[in-house]
Amino acid sequence: MTPIRYELIKTCKQTGARLGIIHTPHGSFETPMFMPVGTLATVKTLSPEELKEMGAGIILSNTYHLWLRPGHDIVKEAGGLHSFMNWDRGILTDSGGFQVFSLSEFRKIEEEGVYFRNHLNGDKLFLSPEKAMEIQNALGSNIMMAFDECPPYPATYEYMKKSVERTSRWAERCLKAHARPNEQGLFGIVQGGEFEDLRRQSAQDLVSLNFPGYAVGGLSVGEPKDVMNRVLEFTTPLLPANKPRYLMGVGSPDSLIDGAIRGIDMFDCVLPTRIGRNGTVMTSEGRLVIKNAQYARDFTPLDPNCGCYTCRNYTRAYIRHLIKCDETFGIRLTSYHNVYFLIKLMEQVRQAIREDRLGDFREEFFERYGFNKPNAKNF
């Protein structure tokens, strides 16, 4: 029996978005949901206890980075990633493919895998479907991702076609190399860029392999938002309705809502902690750059409508002071708020699905946040 199971609870009559539950060996969580990213077995500046307080049911960790430091053998010796980082809820690990293609200036793609250089010290490395499975099996995550090629954007049709075919072959090799299928669920990744026929080919190839879940990859890589939404509109219906659907690397509020409307269950992104480190926060009234001089004497919370630890206890003026002085506590406060904001946003999305009013919620939120304004700033 598969260790990952999707349970459909309700479909929104207004939008078609779905409310569900994903069951894992480390607990169950409602969807659509946002996964905080803990690249190196930690969500930057936040403790596992704080993530639980916010309601995070699952986090993402990075195969490539943990392979390099501290090494998957050390994590395995510690009892797996859950024990190593003291996190008893769900963990998803990506395949490492995206980092190989984004961090390494030198890389050579062959049928057997990818040759590249370690971004830390320049050492020559090799990552293949089999190696990605070995690392993730050692890490012990609940959800593992198949090793895929992450093509650049934009890419030609010819390049993308060859890439999709290679990703399908690699997916089959991942399934064969997966040593713990009864304990860890392996998801396939649908590629194909913005080409509908290639997305269809990729989806058909992967669905035929009967993965317990499917991701849509190759989006949020520089394409306009309308292109991403269009791709989702013709891709998610190709995926099984009885299995989880995961949109990789997406975390801006508008894309979370638009993705849910298009049938996505799971999202992840480094956005909340990354922009938090730069002094930018998400609020119910829109984007706020706390470093701006206008907040020097502003003794109100970051977001008066937010109930997070940061907003209950600290003011804009104080947080601005901390960020301007490069104090780590300031980064902790903005990161806490941003991660909390997205987790709670998805709770609101789920409630709107229950009430068959996600379309109305979208319009209200976009208006309040400022997404409907001409030249609205996204992240």
Side-chain angles (χ1 to χ4, degrees):
M1 185 175 172
T2 176
I4 304 298
R5 185 170 60 86
Y6 176 77
E7 179 185 356
L8 178 65
I9 304 298
K10 178 178 173 55
T11 301
C12 176
K13 292 175 183 174
Q14 193 177 60
T15 64
R18 52 197 223 156
L19 176 72
I21 301 175
I22 294 177
H23 302 279
T24 83
H26 280 84
S28 303
F29 49 87
E30 286 193 335
T31 61
M33 50 73 66
F34 175 77
M35 286 184 287
V37 174
T39 301
L40 285 157
T42 179
V43 177
K44 288 191 187 301
T45 76
L46 303 179
S47 71
E49 292 75 21
E50 288 169 325
L51 292 167
K52 287 181 187 178
E53 284 172 11
M54 298 178 197
I58 182 170
I59 61 173
L60 180 145
S61 281
N62 185 268
T63 295
Y64 169 80
H65 288 289
L66 293 173
W67 174 36
L68 300 187
R69 295 182 299 185
H72 59 294
D73 54 334
I74 290 177
V75 175
K76 184 178 182 180
E77 196 177 324
L81 205 47
H82 290 90
S83 175
F84 187 55
M85 66 181 294
N86 190 33
W87 175 256
D88 60 3
R89 297 186 181 181
I91 297 177
L92 181 149
T93 46
D94 57 15
S95 69
F98 179 78
Q99 284 69 34
V100 169
F101 290 95
S102 65
L103 293 178
S104 180
E105 292 181 6
F106 164 81
R107 60 182 173 272
K108 187 179 181 185
I109 307 169
E110 301 287 358
E111 185 61 29
E112 63 266 30
V114 185
Y115 296 86
F116 63 102
R117 290 193 184 277
N118 182 331
H119 76 288
L120 298 172
N121 60 18
D123 286 352
K124 290 182 179 178
L125 294 172
F126 173 69
L127 192 58
S128 64
E130 291 77 15
K131 187 66 179 179
M133 294 302 97
E134 176 197 325
I135 297 165
Q136 292 184 83
N137 283 148
L139 295 177
S141 52
N142 303 114
I143 298 174
M144 303 164 47
M145 301 307 300
F147 186 64
D148 63 327
E149 182 185 347
C150 304
Y153 178 85
T156 65
Y157 182 89
E158 291 71 26
Y159 183 101
M160 193 64 73
K161 188 173 191 305
K162 290 178 181 176
S163 175
V164 162
E165 291 167 352
R166 182 185 290 116
T167 287
S168 295
R169 292 192 296 271
W170 283 359
E172 199 163 356
R173 285 166 57 187
C174 285
L175 276 173
K176 289 177 182 174
H178 183 12
R180 303 171 63 191
N182 295 324
E183 300 167 57
Q184 297 172 270
L186 175 63
F187 283 21
I189 305 175
V190 176
Q191 291 286 0
E194 55 189 291
F195 304 106
E196 185 171 356
D197 61 325
L198 295 184
R199 288 282 177 182
R200 183 177 296 106
Q201 177 190 332
S202 181
Q204 287 173 348
D205 290 348
L206 296 175
V207 170
S208 73
L209 296 173
N210 197 29
F211 286 96
Y214 296 89
V216 180
L219 292 177
S220 194
V221 290
E223 80 282 358
K225 291 287 176 80
D226 63 319
V227 171
M228 179 166 71
N229 287 337
R230 180 172 57 82
V231 171
L232 289 176
E233 281 166 11
F234 60 65
T235 302
T236 48
L238 304 172
L239 304 177
N242 64 339
K243 294 182 179 181
R245 301 164 177 167
Y246 163 33
L247 178 56
M248 306 179 78
V250 168
S252 66
D254 55 335
S255 293
L256 293 177
I257 297 170
D258 282 343
I261 286 172
R262 288 160 179 82
I264 297 295
D265 308 303
M266 304 167 65
F267 304 84
D268 82 282
C269 195
V270 297
L271 177 83
T273 50
R274 176 173 287 171
I275 66 170
R277 293 195 297 277
N278 295 323
T280 300
V281 293
M282 296 173 270
T283 79
S284 58
E285 303 299 325
R287 182 176 180 267
L288 186 152
V289 181
I290 199 63
K291 288 190 289 189
N292 290 350
Q294 70 194 86
Y295 303 116
R297 288 180 170 82
D298 188 337
F299 304 110
T300 62
L302 290 177
D303 184 352
N305 300 313
C306 178
C308 80
Y309 168 81
T310 300
C311 292
R312 291 197 319 271
N313 293 287
Y314 300 99
T315 67
R316 294 176 177 184
Y318 178 63
I319 295 167
R320 177 182 184 272
H321 158 69
L322 295 178
I323 297 290
K324 294 286 283 185
C325 295
D326 293 323
E327 285 290 342
T328 305
F329 188 46
I331 297 170
R332 272 180 43 73
L333 292 176
T334 53
S335 296
Y336 188 107
H337 169 81
N338 281 341
V339 173
Y340 181 98
F341 181 87
L342 292 184
I343 289 173
K344 297 305 172 185
L345 171 63
M346 299 315 286
E347 286 182 10
Q348 293 175 285
V349 166
R350 294 195 295 271
Q351 187 59 32
I353 294 173
R354 285 187 184 92
E355 297 170 359
D356 294 311
R357 58 175 306 274
L358 184 54
D360 294 339
F361 174 81
R362 178 191 185 275
E363 290 308 307
E364 293 160 9
F365 181 87
F366 275 43
E367 188 64 37
R368 230 174 28 247
Y369 203 94
F371 285 125
N372 290 338
K373 294 175 184 174
N375 303 316
K377 272 193 175 181
N378 282 339
F379 295 101

